[in-house]
């Protein structure tokens, strides 16, 4: 096995990456603050910051008073240095958003889909990409990359296995990348919600956390020691398919008793109809109707859903001992906005006393559409890792 030696260029790139990541994730920061946070020398920080400013990656963003000295100049990543695109592939729509590097939305496109086949998904993502580029006035050469969030297990940043959609080893990354000239990054939707909330929302400051996505389906992002935990082949976090009832309801994945079959919006509505409830409209409207009703069988279905979700959270508390559980996804937010206190109390009935006392259960702060935002961070991650170098 050939051992590759670390060169001076490698060290410089690594140091630029450390500085740029600190500025992006924790900024605006002064040069003095960067010296403390990165443990690099003041001279190294000054030289590398000067490089990044000269290249347009970093810019000065005002100043703050310092104790007994000159004001400290603050630094931030230049929002218009490049742009990124994030796409959320749902079961009923594809949403594509274009952002600057401050993650401000500059353009958005929504495409309803009736059948999320790989070909339909590719078609609508690429149509959305063309729409947001035209609407924003950004040139395609200014775009760092396209991040795409999908349900299922994603391997090698490109290949998707999604049992609930009938996808088997779909090479979604190459299918999207063909002919567009923009780097494509693919990842799991729950992981992307988790990344968005950990970077910009309710997960900030936590080092051990779970971000739970509850929509039509159910998933989670696991964060351990400040880093995303993916497992051996990237499938960690498929919390929606833990068995919550032995021999229970059949899940869309084909197994019996999965949590998703009880707390996912589709499963909740199925249980309501089986109990004699009548509901019309699309899935979201129907879910809202059931949540809003205090009559039977809706009241029992909602109470049972809170109980099943609490049991799922208690399993996470006992298994991974997180300091924070963040509840998101459109159905999770609708449920949590009305019943969060009940949910917390129910978790306490199922979890071990000590780890339950150590966890906080909160709602996502970035709203229902944070998945596309998380997907757009994928090309940002590459920029930070490369120390601001654009491939």
């Amino acid at each position: 096995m050939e051992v590759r030696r670390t060169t001076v260029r490698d060290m410089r790139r690594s140091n630029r990456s450390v500085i740029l990541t600190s500025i992006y994730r924790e900024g605006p920061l002064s040069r003095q603050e960067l010296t403390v946070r990165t443990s690099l020398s003041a001279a190294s920080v000054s030289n590398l910051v000067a490089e990044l400013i000269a290249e347009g990656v970093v810019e000065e963003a005002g100043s703050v008073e310092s104790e007994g000295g000159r004001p400290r100049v603050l630094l931030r990543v230049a929002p218009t240095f490049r742009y990124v695109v994030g796409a959320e592939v749902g079961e009923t729509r594809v949403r594509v958003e274009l952002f600057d590097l401050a993650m401000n939305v500059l353009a958005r496109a929504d495409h309803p889909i009736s059948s999320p086949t790989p070909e339909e998904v590719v078609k609508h993502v690429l149509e959305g990409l063309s729409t947001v580029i035209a609407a924003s006035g950004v040139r395609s050469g200014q775009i760092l990359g396209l991040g795409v969030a999908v349900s299922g297990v994603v391997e090698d940043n490109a290949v998707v296995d999604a049992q609930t959609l009938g996808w088997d080893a779909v090479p979604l990354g190459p299918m999207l990348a063909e002919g567009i000239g923009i780097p494509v990054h693919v990842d799991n939707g729950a992981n992307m919600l988790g990344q968005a909330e950990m970077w910009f929302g309710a997960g900030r400051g936590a080092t051990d956390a779970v971000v739970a996505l509850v929509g039509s389906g159910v998933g989670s992002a696991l964060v351990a020691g400040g880093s995303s935990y993916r497992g051996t082949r990237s499938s960690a976090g498929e919390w929606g398919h833990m068995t919550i009832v032995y021999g229970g309801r059949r899940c869309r994945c084909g197994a019996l008793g999965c949590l998703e079959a009880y707390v996912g919006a589709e499963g909740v509505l199925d249980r309501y109809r089986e109990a004699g409830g009548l509901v019309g409209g699309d899935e979201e409207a129907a879910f809202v109707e059931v949540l809003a009703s205090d009559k039977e069988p809706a009241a029992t279905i909602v109470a049972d859903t809170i109980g099943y979700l609490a049991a799922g959270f208690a399993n996470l508390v006992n298994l991974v001992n997180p300091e924070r559980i963040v509840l998101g996804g459109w159905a999770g937010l609708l449920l949590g906005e009305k019943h969060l206190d009940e949910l917390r109390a129910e978790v306490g009935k199922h979890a071990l006393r000590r780890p339950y006392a150590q966890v906080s259960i909160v709602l996502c702060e970035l709203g229902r559409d944070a998945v596309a935002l998380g997907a757009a961070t994928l090309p940002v991650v590459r920029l930070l890792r490369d120390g601001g170098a654009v491939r």
Side-chain angles (χ1 to χ4, degrees), residues 248-250 261-262 266-279 297 301:
R249 297 175 55 82
R250 187 167 296 281
Y262 291 87
E266 185 175 308
V268 171
L269 294 175
D270 283 347
R271 290 191 293 113
Y272 178 67
R273 295 186 185 101
E274 290 168 6
L278 298 175
V279 69
I301 294 298

Side-chain angles (χ1 to χ4, degrees), residues 78-99:
T80 58
F81 172 67
R82 288 294 188 278
Y83 300 87
V84 291
V85 179
E88 175 190 3
V89 177
E91 296 184 24
T92 59
R93 72 165 191 188
V94 170
R95 163 161 287 187
V96 181
E97 296 180 328
L98 188 145
F99 303 82

Side-chain angles (χ1 to χ4, degrees), residues 54-223:
E55 294 167 15
V57 187
V58 169
E59 66 183 16
E60 296 183 349
S63 61
V64 293
E65 295 296 326
S66 62
E67 297 179 6
R70 293 181 298 176
R72 291 176 297 157
V73 176
L74 297 177
L75 304 164
R76 68 176 181 181
V77 173
T80 58
F81 172 67
R82 288 294 188 278
Y83 300 87
V84 291
V85 179
E88 175 190 3
V89 177
E91 296 184 24
T92 59
R93 72 165 191 188
V94 170
R95 163 161 287 187
V96 181
E97 296 180 328
L98 188 145
F99 303 82
D100 63 19
L101 290 184
M103 305 317 286
N104 298 307
V105 181
L106 304 184
R108 176 182 292 126
D110 282 304
H111 293 270
I113 53 175
S114 56
S115 176
T117 64
E119 293 75 18
E120 280 292 299
V121 166
V122 169
K123 173 187 172 185
H124 290 305
V125 170
L126 295 182
E127 287 176 350
L129 176 63
S130 297
T131 298
V132 296
I133 288 175
S136 66
V138 171
R139 300 190 312 275
S140 60
Q142 296 175 289
I143 297 175
L144 284 175
L146 165 66
V148 182
V150 297
S151 60
V153 178
V154 181
E155 293 189 6
D156 301 322
N157 190 36
V159 180
V160 183
D161 276 282
Q163 283 182 225
T164 57
L165 300 180
W167 291 19
D168 182 15
V170 174
L172 187 64
M175 290 171 69
L176 286 165
E178 187 176 351
I180 65 171
I182 296 172
V184 175
H185 313 260
V186 184
D187 209 331
N188 171 268
N191 285 335
M192 293 301 88
L193 173 66
Q195 187 146 297
E197 288 291 336
M198 294 303 294
W199 281 29
F200 310 114
R204 290 193 74 177
T207 57
D208 295 271
V210 178
V211 181
L213 186 155
V214 180
S216 297
V218 175
S220 71
L222 306 179
V223 177

Side-chain angles (χ1 to χ4, degrees), residues 293-304:
S293 176
D294 57 3
K295 299 178 180 179
E296 293 298 341
T300 296
I301 294 298
V302 172
D304 287 348

Side-chain angles (χ1 to χ4, degrees), residues 333-352:
L333 286 174
L334 286 171
L335 187 68
E337 285 162 1
K338 191 172 183 180
H339 299 287
L340 187 60
D341 288 340
E342 297 167 58
L343 177 62
R344 288 169 174 154
E346 288 297 314
V347 175
K349 295 177 184 179
H350 297 282
L352 292 171

